[in-house]
Amino acid sequence: MSLAVIGALNLGVYDLIHDHGEQHLKEEYLQKLTTGEWCGTMAMTEAHCGTDLGILKTRAEANPDGSWSVKADSKYNKRYTGNSSYKASGPASGLLSGTIKGMLNNCSSGRTPWGTYLTCEETTDNYLDPTQPEENYGWVVEIDPYQELAAPTKRTALGRFDHENVAYMANSDRRVALYMGHDGTPGCIYKFVCDRAYSSSDRAANTDLLDRGTLYVARFNGDGTGEWRALVQGQNGLTAGASDPGNVSQFTTPPEPTTVDFTNQAQVLINTISAARVAGGTVMDRPEWITVAPDNSAIFVTLTNNSSRATTDAANPRTRNRHGHIIKFKEEGDSPLATTFSWEIFLLAGDPELAGFGDNLEGDINGDTFSSPDGIRIDPQGRLRVQTDHSVPGTSGKPNTSIEDIFGQNAMFYIDQESKKSMRFLVGPEGCEITGLAYTPDLTNFFINIQHPTGNWPVDGKEPRSSTIVVRRSDATPIGN
């Protein structure tokens, strides 16, 4: 079957370049596609995870009427693509190519206290260019938007898995921990603790800060306590001949363990997914975004769903978890250096209309209900907002009733952290995922992404396309006041 579609793919690629490509692309590709020297194919990012094959960085400026425009001549405008070159650094860099071609499935992102941007490769599967080693992909990539420090660099000390986003916690001594989720079914939750403080006065001194430190995986115990287990060769079972229990959550009868060799730290980092299970990390229901409270008092993680879960545990209490949940945890002493934490299930997504159809599909949301929490962020005033990414139309668990029938289109919500009351903030257009949340320092402008819409968006009667919207109050006061 896979060979049978080559002809159709070839024709589709030829027509696309012939009808819409620039002249230099036509000259480079069309003749070779015609003779059969090259074959056309397609590459798709995961349909509902906000993924992409590159990054476009622009500078925007506010207009007098309150709208925003890209500043076309800004030196900060930059595009990083699947054909750009990247380098690797850190303990596993010797196992990667000296110069790496491209990034894959850039999902969400994060930032550092020293002003760099962290983009997350949400796949370890190099499906795009099989001439490139698969170990080159599945990393956090550090980019300096001011183009003053290192070239874009894949930081191997942070581990290789399907990265979703990065959120940091810093203390008064400028010590930093970075929190990350593996958006897999299932996946673990990680943190990386830099081995020294960052410099607030010398950006260049932080250039290699993400190359030296300790990577941990979270273990959620049944009594509401938790621990961070170091993913360090020689510790927590990470030795030659280690036994990987596999994806135990997806089977009622545990699968046969596999033997994995961890003879050095580079092997631990290349095979982080396996190392985390060997070390006893809890496999969660697709960890997506993580956000840290401004005062370090809480950390929230969205677990978007896992409809194939067969075995539950305290932190993942539902089989066939169609609608996901949110976990809140607190570091011991509110410290990024802590090795223990306490945790609770903040909420179970669902809707009362789904009660009685098994698997606790109704959840326990107080207020406006939703499915599949994905994006999550606490603003500088401590307000918590959640964005959803449920399947479209999706299977709700109630016969002959889709997820959209129950919850409507994907949306963004404000959730009060004390009462846990959920209030809908905005609803996206047909077919889209709501993803990404940034704001101006005064909180008067929210920048929110509309991903892969299928209806008339953003221009009625034209091809739908992804876009960024700006939300502001009509009185120009901070949103949330």
Side-chain angles (χ1 to χ4, degrees):
M1 176 64 183
S2 59
L3 293 175
V5 301
I6 288 179
L9 289 172
N10 233 31
L11 180 60
V13 172
Y14 182 95
D15 288 345
L16 179 66
I17 297 174
H18 181 274
D19 294 345
H20 303 287
E22 297 178 0
Q23 186 59 37
H24 71 94
L25 295 177
K26 296 178 181 180
E27 295 172 355
E28 181 176 1
Y29 288 95
L30 294 186
Q31 180 63 29
K32 292 179 179 179
L33 287 169
T34 302
T35 63
E37 181 179 352
W38 287 0
C39 291
T41 187
M42 62 182 175
M44 297 181 290
T45 62
E46 190 176 351
H48 299 293
C49 285
T51 51
D52 199 357
L53 294 175
I55 295 171
L56 180 66
K57 177 172 68 71
T58 61
R59 180 175 181 177
E61 290 186 330
N63 298 316
D65 63 357
S67 63
W68 288 74
S69 300
V70 173
K71 186 178 180 182
D73 59 349
S74 172
K75 68 177 182 179
Y76 299 115
N77 293 343
K78 181 72 175 178
R79 187 179 186 189
Y80 302 92
T81 75
N83 287 318
S84 301
S85 294
Y86 305 85
K87 69 175 188 176
S89 65
S93 59
L95 301 183
L96 278 60
S97 302
T99 299
I100 298 173
K101 180 182 178 182
M103 295 181 291
L104 282 182
N105 284 46
N106 301 86
C107 191
S108 186
S109 58
R111 64 184 184 92
T112 65
W114 51 95
T116 56
Y117 172 83
L118 303 174
T119 181
C120 297
E121 292 187 297
E122 199 189 21
T123 184
T124 58
D125 176 20
N126 177 21
Y127 58 82
L128 187 63
D129 186 350
T131 67
Q132 303 296 309
E134 66 175 13
E135 290 82 5
N136 284 349
Y137 307 98
W139 305 101
V140 171
V141 186
E142 185 176 24
I143 295 174
D144 179 20
Y146 304 104
Q147 303 174 46
E148 297 171 348
L149 304 180
T153 304
K154 301 195 178 191
R155 301 292 183 184
T156 64
L158 277 63
R160 177 174 174 264
F161 49 90
D162 301 354
H163 285 270
E164 176 73 14
N165 87 322
V166 181
Y168 78 81
M169 176 187 289
N171 65 13
S172 59
D173 295 325
R174 292 176 282 105
R175 296 297 303 276
V176 180
L178 304 178
Y179 297 86
M180 302 167 286
H182 169 199
D183 184 6
T185 308
C188 291
I189 295 169
Y190 301 84
K191 82 169 177 179
F192 175 80
V193 179
C194 302
D195 69 357
R196 70 178 195 272
Y198 73 91
S199 173
S200 58
S201 59
D202 180 9
R203 294 188 74 231
N206 304 313
T207 300
D208 65 347
L209 199 60
L210 299 185
D211 292 336
R212 295 175 174 83
T214 303
L215 182 66
Y216 298 87
V217 65
R219 180 178 178 87
F220 293 81
N221 300 320
D223 61 358
T225 65
E227 58 190 284
W228 293 106
R229 295 198 171 182
L231 299 183
V232 176
Q233 196 277 329
Q235 300 181 25
N236 294 313
L238 301 177
T239 61
S243 179
D244 178 358
N247 288 335
V248 294
S249 68
Q250 306 305 94
F251 303 93
T252 53
T253 301
E256 286 294 320
T258 57
T259 300
V260 187
D261 288 327
F262 298 109
T263 59
N264 54 56
Q265 186 62 17
Q267 290 179 339
V268 172
L269 297 171
I270 289 286
N271 199 5
T272 304
I273 297 172
S274 177
R277 296 192 295 249
V278 170
T282 303
V283 288
M284 311 291 286
D285 288 342
R286 281 188 62 195
E288 298 261 13
W289 283 39
I290 300 176
T291 188
V292 178
D295 61 358
N296 294 353
S297 63
I299 301 162
F300 292 84
V301 186
T302 53
L303 302 159
T304 196
N305 55 53
N306 181 3
S307 59
S308 297
R309 178 174 279 274
T311 303
T312 64
D313 56 47
N316 303 275
R318 296 191 285 192
T319 56
R320 293 184 291 278
N321 184 10
R322 296 184 185 276
H323 303 300
H325 57 293
I326 297 174
I327 277 188
K328 174 184 179 181
F329 64 96
K330 179 182 180 66
E331 294 278 34
E332 181 70 25
D334 296 340
S335 171
L337 309 182
T339 56
T340 59
F341 58 89
S342 58
W343 68 271
E344 65 176 276
I345 294 179
F346 183 67
L347 63 79
L348 295 172
D351 187 276
E353 188 175 336
L354 300 175
F357 294 100
D359 306 315
N360 192 12
L361 293 171
E362 63 270 26
D364 61 6
I365 291 178
N366 172 23
D368 295 328
T369 63
F370 54 82
S371 173
S372 303
D374 189 335
I376 189 168
R377 193 167 184 188
I378 302 175
D379 72 22
Q381 297 299 318
R383 303 183 187 100
L384 179 67
R385 293 178 174 86
V386 173
Q387 301 168 323
T388 67
D389 181 21
H390 63 64
S391 298
V392 179
T395 302
S396 70
K398 179 180 179 180
N400 305 313
T401 306
S402 72
I403 290 179
E404 282 204 336
D405 289 337
I406 300 293
F407 300 97
Q409 292 163 192
N410 278 305
M412 178 169 159
F413 300 79
Y414 163 76
I415 302 178
D416 183 272
Q417 293 185 49
E418 296 301 323
S419 68
K420 301 184 182 181
K421 183 175 179 60
S422 169
M423 291 172 276
R424 190 176 292 105
F425 178 76
L426 62 79
V427 177
E430 181 180 353
C432 86
E433 166 192 356
I434 301 294
T435 180
L437 172 59
Y439 27 70
T440 51
D442 61 4
L443 298 179
T444 59
N445 299 274
F446 275 29
F447 300 86
I448 301 167
N449 293 326
I450 306 298
Q451 182 83 14
H452 57 70
T454 58
N456 289 324
W457 180 272
V459 180
D460 187 31
K462 292 190 177 182
E463 186 78 12
R465 55 189 172 90
S466 299
S467 55
T468 298
I469 63 172
V470 183
V471 179
R472 34 184 300 124
R473 290 173 56 113
S474 57
D475 60 6
T477 58
I479 295 173
N481 280 9

